[in-house]
């Protein structure tokens, strides 16, 4: 089993109430790959510029992450900057310098075309479909998107969603995509567009999943120290897909466990800037926290 991920590998400049990190490793594909690599080999497709250094590349080394699809283009690496509010629940984008990402046309290496699990990071929905055209019959296709594409490229996005099994978005995106304020109605409308599972991320309030079996809710792990929420969603997706591909099996039970594994990985990502915490993470820590999630929600009905 292997997972193909297509998305951004970036420099991030992030300010939170607890400090600032300048030009550190970020990007949706970076967070996703490192999280998923705890479970299965990952085939990464992205682009960086000629300023992308050995220090950043080292994050992917010594892990089962195949970098043969990491294109190096003439120019600068994508650079995103964001600033978080005091409660970390909202953030403003300070700038988005697309740089080499602007003309990114994902080329899937021949060896990656048989990947059984595919994660389409948050890129132009037409490019997401282009990726699907280049792969052979994947078992599970998951996809992320954002308001920018929902408001600007809705018809393209709908064509992509028709070919997606799992959509991961946040609650405001779900409302905008469906035109429904109520989240249950929004989920029904979005699932009618294609995805059999819809995962709605609500930051520190956890995750809601809708499938044919109904809804499943998972809290976010209550942490004392949250440093930087950047990448939490992509790390969630990496843990979720990694678990499904590596240990999951089929069915609603597997999806539910994958939701908890995604929440587990995301809870570590936010404990430090950039990928710092994920890069020091051990399998034992992952297993321990996964088990703690059971205690968090367990109760006896008398
Ligand atoms: P998240 O916090 O899960 O929304 O993901 C944040 C990551 O997404 C950061 O590391 C950014 O580098 C990356 N990012 C931000 N804006 C974009 C964009 N327009 N396209 C692709 N990646 C982006």
């Amino acid at each position: 089993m292997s997972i193909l991920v297509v998305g951004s590998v970036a420099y991030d400049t992030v300010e939170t109430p607890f400090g600032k990190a300048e030009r550190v490793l970020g990007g949706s594909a970076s967070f996703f790959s490192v999280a998923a690599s705890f479970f299965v080999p990952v085939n990464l497709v992205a682009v960086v510029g000629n300023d992308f250094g050995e220090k950043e590349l080292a994050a992917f080394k010594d892990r089962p992450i195949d970098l043969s699809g990491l294109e190096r283009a003439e120019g600068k690496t994508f650079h995103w900057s964001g600033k978080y509010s005091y409660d970390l629940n909202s953030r403003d984008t300070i700038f988005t310098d697309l740089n080499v990402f602007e003309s990114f046309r994902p080329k899937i290496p021949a060896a990656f075309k048989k990947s059984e699990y595919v994660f389409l990071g948050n890129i132009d929905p037409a490019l997401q479909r282009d990726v699907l055209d280049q792969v052979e019959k994947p078992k599970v296709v998951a996809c992320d998107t954002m308001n920018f594409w929902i408001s600007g490229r809705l018809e393209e996005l709908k064509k992509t969603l028709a070919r997606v099994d799992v959509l991961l978005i946040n609650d405001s995106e779900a409302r905008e995509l469906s035109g429904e304020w109520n989240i249950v109605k929004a989920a029904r409308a979005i699932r009618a567009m294609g995805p059999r599972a819809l995962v709605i991320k609500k930051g520190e309030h956890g995750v809601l999943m809708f499938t044919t079996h109904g809804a499943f809710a998972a809290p976010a792990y209550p942490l004392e120290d949250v440093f930087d929420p950047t990448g939490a969603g992509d790390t969630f997706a990496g843990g979720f897909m990694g678990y499904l591909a590596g240990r999951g099996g089929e069915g609603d039970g597997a999806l539910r466990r994958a939701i908890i594994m995604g929440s587990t990985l995301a809870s570590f990502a936010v404990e430090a800037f950039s990928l710092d915490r994920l890069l020091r993470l051990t399998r034992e820590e992952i297993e321990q926290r996964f088990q703690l999630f059971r205690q968090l929600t367990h109760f006896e009905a008398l």
Side-chain angles (χ1 to χ4, degrees), residues 173-189:
E173 290 158 354
R175 290 190 168 103
E176 188 174 340
L177 176 58
S178 61
E180 293 279 3
W181 182 87
N182 178 280
I183 221 71
V184 180
K185 288 182 180 157
R188 188 179 307 128

Side-chain angles (χ1 to χ4, degrees), residues 7-250:
S8 55
V9 169
Y11 280 121
D12 284 353
T13 293
V14 178
E15 198 176 335
T16 78
F18 313 108
K20 190 168 179 182
E22 291 234 24
R23 271 176 69 85
V24 290
L25 177 63
S28 59
S30 307
F31 286 102
F32 181 95
S33 299
V34 171
S37 72
F38 282 99
F39 305 93
V40 281
V42 178
N43 300 324
L44 187 152
V45 172
V47 64
V48 291
N50 37 26
D51 58 346
F52 197 75
E54 284 303 314
K55 183 170 152 261
E56 286 74 29
L57 270 180
F60 305 120
K61 298 260 165 74
D62 301 324
R63 293 171 192 276
I65 301 176
D66 189 329
L67 298 177
S68 52
L70 183 63
E71 199 186 315
R72 199 176 271 272
E74 201 52 47
K76 283 186 175 173
T77 301
F78 174 64
H79 186 184
W80 173 81
S81 175
K83 185 175 177 181
Y84 287 85
S85 64
Y86 180 70
D87 64 4
L88 296 174
N89 273 335
S90 62
R91 77 175 173 212
D92 291 323
T93 291
I94 307 297
F95 61 79
T96 303
D97 288 343
L98 289 175
N99 300 329
V100 293
F101 205 53
E102 190 159 14
S103 46
F104 178 48
R105 297 286 171 275
K107 283 185 286 298
I108 310 303
F112 291 4
K113 292 187 185 225
K114 285 190 161 49
S115 306
E116 286 169 295
Y117 289 75
V118 174
F119 179 67
L120 304 168
N122 170 25
I123 56 174
D124 186 326
L127 291 184
Q128 291 179 323
R129 238 174 22 256
D130 209 39
V131 170
L132 293 181
D133 290 339
Q134 295 178 60
V135 293
E136 294 167 19
K137 277 195 142 210
K139 215 167 140 185
V140 177
V141 176
C143 165
D144 184 11
T145 192
M146 68 189 288
N147 297 56
F148 181 77
W149 306 119
I150 297 169
S151 50
R153 303 286 293 264
L154 187 60
E155 286 318 305
E156 286 293 333
L157 179 60
K158 282 187 175 169
K159 281 192 230 162
T160 300
L161 291 181
R163 297 171 63 180
V164 160
D165 301 297
V166 184
L167 175 67
L168 303 110
I169 49 178
N170 69 33
D171 42 353
S172 73
E173 290 158 354
R175 290 190 168 103
E176 188 174 340
L177 176 58
S178 61
E180 293 279 3
W181 182 87
N182 178 280
I183 221 71
V184 180
K185 288 182 180 157
R188 188 179 307 128
I190 294 169
R191 290 187 56 244
M193 296 175 191
R196 62 187 157 94
L198 172 67
V199 178
I200 299 182
K201 299 170 286 179
K202 299 189 297 168
E204 67 166 337
H205 303 297
V207 173
L208 263 178
M209 174 174 68
F210 293 89
T211 65
T212 40
H213 297 272
F216 176 66
Y221 191 76
L223 291 167
E224 254 183 68
D225 295 307
V226 179
F227 235 80
D228 173 17
T230 308
D234 306 304
T235 306
F236 174 92
F240 174 85
M241 287 290 273
Y243 182 86
L244 274 187
R247 308 195 210 155
E250 308 282 324

